[in-house]
Amino acid sequence: MKDYNYATQAEYYDIVEGNTNVKDFNNILNKLLKKYNIKSVLDITCGTGAQAIFLDKEGYKVTASDFSKEMIAIAQKKYPKLDFKQGDIRNAKYGKFDAVISIFNAIGHLSKPDFGKAIRNITNNLKTGGIYIFDIFNLDFMKHGFIKEEFIDTLKEVDGTKFVRFNKNTFDSEGGVIHMNQKTYIQKGLSKPKIFKDSWDMQIYSSDELKDILEKNGFEVLEFLDMNGDKFDKNKSLFILTIARKK
Ligand SMILES: C[S@@+](CC[C@H](N)C(=O)[O-])C[C@H]1O[C@@H](n2cnc3c(N)ncnc32)[C@H](O)[C@@H]1O
Protein backbone atom coordinates (compact mmCIF):
# COMPACT_ATOMS: atom_id res chain seq x y z
CA MET A 1 0.00 0.00 0.00
CA LYS A 2 1.31 3.43 -0.92
CA ASP A 3 1.14 5.82 2.06
CA TYR A 4 -0.28 9.32 2.05
CA ASN A 5 2.32 11.90 2.97
CA TYR A 6 0.64 14.23 5.45
CA ALA A 7 3.86 16.26 5.70
CA THR A 8 3.22 17.96 2.34
CA GLN A 9 -0.26 19.18 3.08
CA ALA A 10 -0.52 19.33 6.87
CA GLU A 11 -0.47 23.14 6.64
CA TYR A 12 -3.63 23.14 4.52
CA TYR A 13 -5.37 20.09 6.04
CA ASP A 14 -7.85 22.05 8.18
CA ILE A 15 -8.91 24.22 5.25
CA VAL A 16 -9.21 21.44 2.69
CA GLU A 17 -10.75 18.83 5.02
CA GLY A 18 -12.42 21.04 7.61
CA ASN A 19 -16.08 21.77 6.99
CA THR A 20 -19.38 21.95 8.83
CA ASN A 21 -19.39 18.13 8.88
CA VAL A 22 -16.55 18.20 11.42
CA LYS A 23 -18.76 20.12 13.87
CA ASP A 24 -21.81 17.96 13.18
CA PHE A 25 -19.80 14.78 13.56
CA ASN A 26 -18.29 15.94 16.85
CA ASN A 27 -21.79 16.35 18.26
CA ILE A 28 -22.66 12.80 17.19
CA LEU A 29 -19.44 11.51 18.74
CA ASN A 30 -20.21 13.37 21.97
CA LYS A 31 -23.68 11.77 22.14
CA LEU A 32 -22.20 8.32 21.59
CA LEU A 33 -19.55 8.81 24.28
CA LYS A 34 -22.23 9.98 26.72
CA LYS A 35 -24.46 7.01 25.82
CA TYR A 36 -21.65 4.61 26.76
CA ASN A 37 -20.70 6.62 29.87
CA ILE A 38 -17.17 7.35 28.61
CA LYS A 39 -14.90 9.57 30.69
CA SER A 40 -11.41 8.93 29.26
CA VAL A 41 -10.63 8.92 25.52
CA LEU A 42 -7.52 8.08 23.52
CA ASP A 43 -7.65 9.68 20.05
CA ILE A 44 -5.01 7.49 18.41
CA THR A 45 -5.08 9.19 14.97
CA CYS A 46 -5.76 12.73 16.13
CA GLY A 47 -4.30 14.57 13.12
CA THR A 48 -4.65 18.32 13.67
CA GLY A 49 -7.00 17.70 16.60
CA ALA A 50 -10.48 17.84 15.02
CA GLN A 51 -11.95 15.47 17.63
CA ALA A 52 -9.39 15.64 20.48
CA ILE A 53 -9.63 19.41 20.99
CA PHE A 54 -13.43 19.36 20.94
CA LEU A 55 -13.58 16.45 23.41
CA ASP A 56 -11.09 18.06 25.79
CA LYS A 57 -13.21 21.24 25.80
CA GLU A 58 -16.27 19.09 26.52
CA GLY A 59 -14.58 17.83 29.69
CA TYR A 60 -13.40 14.34 28.70
CA LYS A 61 -9.98 13.20 29.89
CA VAL A 62 -8.24 13.18 26.49
CA THR A 63 -4.95 11.71 25.29
CA ALA A 64 -4.14 12.53 21.66
CA SER A 65 -1.60 10.89 19.39
CA ASP A 66 -0.78 10.64 15.68
CA PHE A 67 1.91 9.21 13.42
CA SER A 68 2.60 12.47 11.58
CA LYS A 69 4.75 14.99 13.42
CA GLU A 70 3.60 17.72 11.00
CA MET A 71 -0.06 17.12 11.86
CA ILE A 72 0.71 17.05 15.61
CA ALA A 73 2.69 20.29 15.36
CA ILE A 74 -0.40 22.02 13.98
CA ALA A 75 -2.65 20.51 16.66
CA GLN A 76 -0.19 21.60 19.37
CA LYS A 77 -0.10 25.17 18.06
CA LYS A 78 -3.90 25.33 17.89
CA TYR A 79 -4.38 23.93 21.40
CA PRO A 80 -1.35 24.14 23.72
CA LYS A 81 -3.41 22.83 26.67
CA LEU A 82 -3.07 19.20 25.46
CA ASP A 83 0.26 17.43 25.10
CA PHE A 84 -0.05 15.88 21.60
CA LYS A 85 2.05 12.74 21.28
CA GLN A 86 3.69 11.06 18.31
CA GLY A 87 2.81 7.39 18.07
CA ASP A 88 1.77 4.60 15.74
CA ILE A 89 -1.70 3.07 16.02
CA ARG A 90 -0.02 -0.36 15.60
CA ASN A 91 2.09 -0.18 18.77
CA ALA A 92 1.59 3.02 20.81
CA LYS A 93 0.56 2.43 24.42
CA TYR A 94 -0.70 5.17 26.71
CA GLY A 95 -2.64 3.37 29.44
CA LYS A 96 -6.17 1.99 29.80
CA PHE A 97 -8.99 4.15 28.48
CA ASP A 98 -12.80 3.95 28.45
CA ALA A 99 -12.69 4.61 24.68
CA VAL A 100 -10.24 4.72 21.79
CA ILE A 101 -11.18 6.61 18.62
CA SER A 102 -9.69 6.81 15.11
CA ILE A 103 -11.83 9.06 12.95
CA PHE A 104 -12.12 10.11 9.32
CA ASN A 105 -10.91 7.12 7.35
CA ALA A 106 -7.68 6.96 9.37
CA ILE A 107 -7.56 3.14 9.37
CA GLY A 108 -7.76 3.24 5.55
CA HIS A 109 -4.03 4.04 5.61
CA LEU A 110 -3.29 0.59 7.02
CA SER A 111 -3.01 -2.62 5.03
CA LYS A 112 -5.36 -5.40 6.23
CA PRO A 113 -2.61 -7.17 8.26
CA ASP A 114 -1.64 -3.82 9.81
CA PHE A 115 -5.27 -3.10 10.68
CA GLY A 116 -5.22 -6.44 12.55
CA LYS A 117 -2.11 -5.29 14.43
CA ALA A 118 -3.76 -1.94 15.17
CA ILE A 119 -6.89 -3.58 16.60
CA ARG A 120 -4.83 -5.84 18.85
CA ASN A 121 -2.89 -2.78 20.02
CA ILE A 122 -6.12 -0.90 20.67
CA THR A 123 -7.22 -3.67 23.04
CA ASN A 124 -3.99 -2.95 24.98
CA ASN A 125 -5.14 0.65 25.41
CA LEU A 126 -8.70 -0.21 26.48
CA LYS A 127 -10.22 -1.25 29.78
CA THR A 128 -12.27 -4.43 29.63
CA GLY A 129 -15.69 -3.31 28.37
CA GLY A 130 -14.10 -0.20 26.79
CA ILE A 131 -15.17 0.85 23.31
CA TYR A 132 -13.43 1.51 20.02
CA ILE A 133 -15.08 3.99 17.63
CA PHE A 134 -13.85 4.38 14.06
CA ASP A 135 -15.14 5.03 10.57
CA ILE A 136 -14.15 3.86 7.11
CA PHE A 137 -15.62 4.03 3.59
CA ASN A 138 -18.22 1.32 3.02
CA LEU A 139 -17.04 -1.24 0.46
CA ASP A 140 -20.61 -2.41 -0.30
CA PHE A 141 -21.58 1.15 -1.24
CA MET A 142 -18.41 1.72 -3.28
CA LYS A 143 -19.14 -1.38 -5.37
CA HIS A 144 -21.95 0.58 -7.04
CA GLY A 145 -21.33 4.18 -5.91
CA PHE A 146 -17.65 4.65 -6.81
CA ILE A 147 -17.07 7.67 -9.11
CA LYS A 148 -14.81 6.67 -12.00
CA GLU A 149 -14.78 10.10 -13.64
CA GLU A 150 -12.56 12.92 -12.46
CA PHE A 151 -14.45 14.96 -9.84
CA ILE A 152 -13.97 17.89 -7.48
CA ASP A 153 -14.36 17.19 -3.76
CA THR A 154 -13.20 20.56 -2.40
CA LEU A 155 -13.91 24.06 -3.62
CA LYS A 156 -13.24 26.86 -1.15
CA GLU A 157 -12.08 30.43 -0.83
CA VAL A 158 -10.51 31.53 2.45
CA ASP A 159 -9.12 35.08 2.90
CA GLY A 160 -8.68 35.56 -0.84
CA THR A 161 -7.00 32.17 -1.41
CA LYS A 162 -8.82 29.58 -3.50
CA PHE A 163 -8.54 25.85 -2.79
CA VAL A 164 -9.67 23.34 -5.41
CA ARG A 165 -9.07 19.60 -5.20
CA PHE A 166 -9.56 17.18 -8.08
CA ASN A 167 -9.85 13.41 -7.68
CA LYS A 168 -9.21 10.86 -10.40
CA ASN A 169 -9.32 7.63 -8.46
CA THR A 170 -9.42 3.96 -9.39
CA PHE A 171 -10.95 1.14 -7.42
CA ASP A 172 -9.98 -2.49 -6.97
CA SER A 173 -13.33 -3.79 -5.75
CA GLU A 174 -11.99 -7.33 -5.16
CA GLY A 175 -9.24 -6.18 -2.80
CA GLY A 176 -11.27 -3.24 -1.47
CA VAL A 177 -8.50 -0.77 -2.27
CA ILE A 178 -9.12 2.71 -3.64
CA HIS A 179 -6.09 4.13 -5.46
CA MET A 180 -6.45 7.81 -4.72
CA ASN A 181 -5.05 10.39 -7.13
CA GLN A 182 -5.61 13.92 -5.97
CA LYS A 183 -4.48 17.25 -7.32
CA THR A 184 -4.92 20.36 -5.16
CA TYR A 185 -4.63 23.90 -6.52
CA ILE A 186 -3.99 26.68 -4.02
CA GLN A 187 -4.12 30.13 -5.53
CA LYS A 188 -3.87 33.49 -3.79
CA GLY A 189 -5.68 36.08 -5.89
CA LEU A 190 -4.36 35.80 -9.42
CA SER A 191 -0.86 34.69 -8.42
CA LYS A 192 0.78 31.53 -9.73
CA PRO A 193 -1.03 28.57 -8.08
CA LYS A 194 0.74 26.03 -5.89
CA ILE A 195 -0.16 22.58 -7.19
CA PHE A 196 0.14 19.48 -5.01
CA LYS A 197 -0.21 16.02 -6.47
CA ASP A 198 -0.82 13.06 -4.20
CA SER A 199 -1.43 9.43 -4.84
CA TRP A 200 -1.92 6.78 -2.18
CA ASP A 201 -3.94 3.67 -1.41
CA MET A 202 -6.89 3.42 0.90
CA GLN A 203 -8.01 0.04 2.25
CA ILE A 204 -11.76 -0.04 2.78
CA TYR A 205 -14.11 -2.69 4.25
CA SER A 206 -17.64 -4.04 4.21
CA SER A 207 -19.56 -4.16 7.48
CA ASP A 208 -19.46 -7.99 7.36
CA GLU A 209 -15.66 -7.96 7.07
CA LEU A 210 -15.34 -5.49 9.95
CA LYS A 211 -17.58 -7.60 12.16
CA ASP A 212 -15.48 -10.66 11.39
CA ILE A 213 -12.12 -8.92 12.01
CA LEU A 214 -13.33 -7.34 15.24
CA GLU A 215 -14.81 -10.56 16.59
CA LYS A 216 -11.61 -12.47 15.81
CA ASN A 217 -9.68 -9.89 17.83
CA GLY A 218 -11.70 -9.83 21.04
CA PHE A 219 -14.39 -7.25 20.24
CA GLU A 220 -18.15 -7.37 19.81
CA VAL A 221 -19.84 -4.89 17.47
CA LEU A 222 -22.36 -2.78 19.37
CA GLU A 223 -23.53 -0.59 16.50
CA PHE A 224 -22.93 0.23 12.87
CA LEU A 225 -24.10 3.76 12.04
CA ASP A 226 -23.60 6.21 9.22
CA MET A 227 -21.69 9.43 9.84
CA ASN A 228 -24.79 11.42 10.76
CA GLY A 229 -25.66 8.95 13.49
CA ASP A 230 -28.46 7.22 11.56
CA LYS A 231 -28.76 3.49 11.20
CA PHE A 232 -26.15 2.12 8.78
CA ASP A 233 -27.48 0.95 5.42
CA LYS A 234 -25.19 -1.51 3.59
CA ASN A 235 -26.14 -0.19 0.16
CA LYS A 236 -26.69 3.51 0.87
CA SER A 237 -24.20 4.61 3.54
CA LEU A 238 -20.93 6.06 2.25
CA PHE A 239 -19.21 5.44 5.59
CA ILE A 240 -19.43 2.77 8.27
CA LEU A 241 -19.18 4.26 11.73
CA THR A 242 -18.38 1.33 14.02
CA ILE A 243 -18.80 1.13 17.77
CA ALA A 244 -17.22 -2.03 19.15
CA ARG A 245 -16.71 -3.22 22.72
CA LYS A 246 -13.66 -5.04 24.08
CA LYS A 247 -14.96 -8.28 25.60
C1 LIG B 1 -7.67 11.67 7.51
S1 LIG B 1 -6.63 12.03 8.87
C2 LIG B 1 -7.78 12.17 10.21
C3 LIG B 1 -7.28 13.00 11.34
C4 LIG B 1 -8.35 13.44 12.36
N1 LIG B 1 -8.88 12.30 13.08
C5 LIG B 1 -9.44 14.23 11.66
O1 LIG B 1 -10.61 13.81 11.69
O2 LIG B 1 -9.13 15.29 11.08
C6 LIG B 1 -5.86 10.48 9.18
C7 LIG B 1 -4.77 10.58 10.22
O3 LIG B 1 -4.30 9.25 10.47
C8 LIG B 1 -2.92 9.36 10.77
N2 LIG B 1 -2.26 8.05 10.61
C9 LIG B 1 -2.03 7.36 9.46
N3 LIG B 1 -1.36 6.22 9.73
C10 LIG B 1 -1.18 6.20 11.08
C11 LIG B 1 -0.56 5.28 11.97
N4 LIG B 1 0.02 4.17 11.53
N5 LIG B 1 -0.58 5.57 13.31
C12 LIG B 1 -1.16 6.70 13.77
N6 LIG B 1 -1.74 7.62 12.96
C13 LIG B 1 -1.76 7.37 11.64
C14 LIG B 1 -2.42 10.39 9.79
O4 LIG B 1 -1.17 10.93 10.16
C15 LIG B 1 -3.57 11.39 9.81
O5 LIG B 1 -3.34 12.42 10.73
Side-chain angles (χ1 to χ4, degrees), residues 215-227:
E215 285 178 356
K216 282 191 176 128
N217 287 289
F219 282 91
E220 61 174 326
V221 173
L222 298 176
E223 300 185 65
F224 284 134
L225 301 172
D226 68 20
M227 287 303 264

Side-chain angles (χ1 to χ4, degrees), residues 6 13 43-51 65-68 71 87-90 102-106 109-110:
Y6 280 90
Y13 179 87
D43 183 350
I44 200 158
T45 56
C46 68
T48 58
Q51 294 80 36
S65 165
D66 195 278
F67 195 58
S68 159
M71 297 289 267
D88 189 323
I89 190 172
R90 291 164 288 197
S102 59
I103 302 300
F104 200 22
N105 268 329
H109 291 294
L110 305 169

Side-chain angles (χ1 to χ4, degrees), residues 179-206:
H179 306 289
M180 308 285 293
N181 283 297
Q182 293 185 329
K183 205 163 54 175
T184 309
Y185 285 67
I186 301 175
Q187 186 176 21
K188 196 169 176 53
L190 289 176
S191 64
K192 192 171 170 221
K194 282 187 197 167
I195 304 171
F196 294 103
K197 286 185 186 163
D198 267 315
S199 58
W200 82 101
D201 294 335
M202 186 185 289
Q203 178 68 59
I204 68 168
Y205 298 88
S206 68

